[in-house]
């Protein structure tokens, strides 16, 4: 819907404009920010190629990578989220971050990803127990986590110990949450839904996540039995500081400059 696209453009423009944008690579020539085709009105001048979009989030446009400071939340039990905003769903999420979901949305636009829509599900009206599912859409992306042991797929921290199933390796898309009109108690205007619910990376489908799993699962146990749990054997302890890496599919790590002969590393 054109109205929804316009509202999303305003949300993203405000998110970028309100952020303190600092080049981590030193002085660089600024130019108008290129944006996704469906967001042509977003024009913000920023230094390139590395941007500190907000506290706790760095965008590397050259590498196609977003780095988000995070903390390990739940290291055992059933999961409904892979990543949530701090103060919301830590009891059912692998990671918690302080960064607003709308800032993560803006960061993904900056590395050239296109938002789609979250998935949806509903119980069939005939009472048969069947579930109607609509898959999420948006650019494919990869989620990694950086710890003191190195980089690993975030999905390696998720498993089904009951049936011995492994979680799909990179089943993620840039769904883009949703924009809704404010309630009367919120005052005039609109809001980015995930900023209020904390849904950043979903495992089950709440329909408001910024990044969605391609499999649509309800959060109702009578429709979809709980399956995915935290793989505590592969995870650091809760409270451990880590880094969430969001990458364009096909990411290639930047080459490390060669060390001249005779110099110690």
């Amino acid at each position: 819907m054109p109205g929804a696209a316009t509202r999303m453009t305003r949300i993203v423009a405000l998110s970028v404009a309100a952020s303190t944008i600092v080049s981590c690579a030193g002085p660089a020539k600024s130019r108008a920010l290129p944006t996704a085709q469906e967001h042509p009105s977003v024009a913000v001048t920023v230094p390139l190629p590395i941007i500190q979009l907000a506290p706790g989030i760095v965008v590397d446009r050259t590498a196609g990578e977003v780095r988000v400071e995070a903390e390990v939340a739940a290291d055992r039990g059933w999961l409904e989220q892979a990543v949530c905003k701090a103060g919301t769903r830590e009891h059912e999420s692998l990671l918690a971050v302080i960064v607003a979901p709308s800032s993560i949305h803006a960061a993904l636009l900056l590395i050239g990803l296109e938002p789609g829509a979250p998935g949806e599900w509903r119980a069939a009206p005939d009472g048969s127990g069947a579930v109607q599912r609509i898959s999420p859409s948006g650019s494919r992306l990869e989620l990694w986590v950086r710890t003191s042991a190195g980089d690993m797929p975030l999905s390696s921290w998720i498993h089904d110990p009951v049936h011995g199933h492994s979680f799909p390796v990179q089943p993620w898309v840039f769904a883009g949450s949703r924009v809704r009109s404010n309630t009367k108690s919120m005052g005039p205007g609109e809001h980015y839904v995930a900023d209020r619910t904390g849904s950043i990376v979903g495992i089950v489908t709440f329909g408001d996540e910024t990044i969605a799993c391609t499999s649509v699962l309800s959060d109702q146990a009578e429709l979809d039995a709980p399956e995915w749990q935290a793989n505590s054997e592969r995870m650091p302890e809760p409270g451990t500081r880590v880094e969430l890496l969001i990458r364009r599919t096909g990411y290639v790590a930047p080459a490390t400059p060669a060390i001249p002969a005779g110099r110690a590393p």
Side-chain angles (χ1 to χ4, degrees):
M1 296 175 57
T6 301
R7 290 194 296 271
M8 181 60 72
T9 297
R10 290 203 298 269
I11 289 288
V12 173
L14 288 172
S15 177
V16 176
S19 300
T20 302
I21 302 177
V22 180
S23 172
C24 300
K29 185 177 180 180
S30 297
R31 61 180 175 83
L33 172 69
T35 60
Q37 290 183 354
E38 65 191 65
H39 302 295
S41 67
V42 182
V44 181
T45 300
V46 296
L48 300 176
I50 299 180
I51 305 161
Q52 179 84 44
L53 186 61
I57 182 169
V58 171
V59 181
D60 186 335
R61 300 189 65 202
T62 301
E65 178 180 76
V66 175
R67 299 188 286 272
V68 185
E69 295 177 8
E71 186 172 288
V72 176
D75 70 340
R76 62 193 66 247
W78 303 110
L79 297 171
E80 294 196 337
Q81 302 255 294
V83 184
C84 71
K85 190 173 185 297
T88 59
R89 293 167 165 161
E90 286 92 334
H91 65 287
E92 58 191 15
S93 302
L94 295 171
L95 299 176
V97 305
I98 63 168
V99 177
S102 57
S103 291
I104 294 175
H105 184 121
L108 298 183
L109 290 180
L110 287 170
I111 63 170
L113 299 183
E114 297 278 350
E120 299 179 54
W121 61 268
R122 59 182 66 89
D126 59 7
S128 64
V131 181
Q132 299 173 343
R133 306 174 197 267
I134 300 173
S135 297
S137 59
S139 294
R140 295 296 297 249
L141 54 82
E142 297 183 3
L143 297 178
W144 297 73
V145 61
R146 177 168 292 163
T147 72
S148 58
D151 296 359
M152 60 202 71
L154 182 60
S155 55
S156 67
W157 288 8
I158 308 169
H159 71 156
D160 174 3
V162 177
H163 302 99
H165 296 160
S166 297
F167 194 75
V169 177
Q170 295 290 356
W172 316 110
V173 296
F174 177 21
S177 190
R178 301 185 188 276
V179 175
R180 293 285 185 258
S181 297
N182 288 348
T183 62
K184 184 177 294 187
S185 63
M186 294 167 63
E190 298 160 326
H191 62 280
Y192 187 81
V193 175
D195 281 348
R196 296 183 61 81
T197 63
S199 297
I200 297 176
V201 179
I203 295 175
V204 303
T205 306
F206 288 108
D208 60 0
E209 40 276 329
T210 300
I211 297 172
C213 180
T214 53
S215 298
V216 175
L217 297 173
S218 81
D219 61 338
Q220 304 298 314
E222 62 271 20
L223 298 179
D224 288 312
E227 181 177 7
W228 302 113
Q229 299 188 42
N231 191 346
S232 57
E233 294 182 358
R234 296 189 177 184
M235 298 177 60
E237 295 181 355
T240 302
R241 296 291 183 89
V242 298
E243 198 168 35
L244 172 67
L245 310 176
I246 309 172
R247 295 169 171 170
R248 289 193 300 247
T249 299
Y251 169 90
V252 177
T256 302
I259 300 172
R263 288 184 58 184

